Amino acid sequence: MMDTSRLMFRDGLMDGMRILVTGGGTGLGLEMTEAFLKLGAAVHICGRRQGKVQEAAETLMARHGGKVVAHGCDIRDPQAIADMVDAIWDEGGALTGVVNNAAGNFVSRTEDLSINGFNAISDIVFRGTFYVTHEIGKRLIAEGRSASFLSILTTWIWNGGPFTVPSAMSKSAINTMTQSLATEWGRYGLRFNAIAPGLFPTEGMSARLSPGGRQDERSERNNPMGRHGEMHELANLAVFLMGPGAEWVNGQTIAIDGAGYQANGGNFYQALSPLDDEEWETMRAMIKGTNARDKAERTT
Ligand code: HXC
């Protein structure tokens, strides 16, 4: 978890806000949840591993007080989303913000992908993000309430993501959703922005995008600022976009990557192009091991 003394905002900034963070029990979602909570928001988090989200909620409340409510929910399932949103509304009324953070990804040569592999990623990132946005957006429009939506993308939306094609395609589509709904739903007081992070290593990401640490090390060395992102930096940007005071920011996707994308493309082209069949086989086995371990903990 981050050092919350490095948040640039004052305590109480987000008092009265109610935010859903999908995938909020782990990784970047957990860090943003902690920042929102620390600044006064009530936060709902969801994930496929009920135990993980519950544990995260308890840890955060023990650390900061306030309210974090955990939901076991697979965003690939529209009915599960509707049930979760009912529960959120029943618990305390309308949300004031949604962070579309839940994602799935793994590195693979595109010719090695099965249709199931493509769908596993695109059903989460492309379809699932739309389902969540659509379900909550409809309710907010019907009730005449304003809100901020934030989607976590990647810089690959601008230049492509070799070896992560289903993720790059899906996140590009969510970038288009951000721009489209910022204009279509602006009249309802709903605004849509996105963050395109460079590498902020997390357990789930490193295990699937950099098994063995190979790409992580290289991207750190090649970044113009010589390092990866730090969690408080991402959290500060997320608070700026979700908090009060800059509501006219709408329809924007902001990179936070130390200019890695301008310097070297910010994707895996250089690191993964040289790999041979054997190296891919080793990585595939490591990634599938992680997937199986995660799946064993899932309740939805
Ligand atoms: C080839 C693979 C594979 C691999 C899985 N598959 N891993 N194919 N190479 N390494 C195939 C499987 O063989 C199967 O196809 C299909 O994908 C579905 O696999 P499951 O394990 O059953 O999928 P599922 O349990 O639904 O899990 C979804 C997942 C998994 C996307 C595969 O990775 C996941 O749950 N990820 C969540 C966390 C995560 O990915 N975090 C990182 C996000 S980072 P067959 O044909 O065999 O049935 C990110 C952006 C980072 O998004 C940006 C950095 C700059």
Side-chain angles (χ1 to χ4, degrees), residues 48 76 104-106 114 116-117 208 288 291 295 298:
R48 289 173 290 178
R76 292 178 282 198
N105 202 355
F106 54 80
S114 65
N116 281 347
R208 293 178 177 92
K288 288 194 174 185
N291 291 347
K295 199 179 275 189
R298 265 185 232 157

Side-chain angles (χ1 to χ4, degrees), residues 48 76 103-108 112 114 116-117 120-121 124 154 156 167 171 197-199 204-205 208-209 284 287-288 291 295 298:
R48 289 173 290 178
R76 292 178 282 198
N105 202 355
F106 54 80
V107 291
S108 173
D112 296 339
S114 65
N116 281 347
I121 294 170
I124 299 172
T154 83
W156 311 328
S167 163
K171 287 193 180 259
L199 275 182
M205 187 211 81
R208 293 178 177 92
L209 301 187
R284 195 157 35 240
I287 295 167
K288 288 194 174 185
N291 291 347
K295 199 179 275 189
R298 265 185 232 157

Side-chain angles (χ1 to χ4, degrees), residues 31 71-72 76 78 96 102 109 114 175 240 254 265 286:
E31 305 289 342
H71 304 267
R76 292 178 282 198
T96 61
R109 291 186 297 208
S114 65
N175 189 45
F240 174 76
I254 303 173
M286 290 168 84

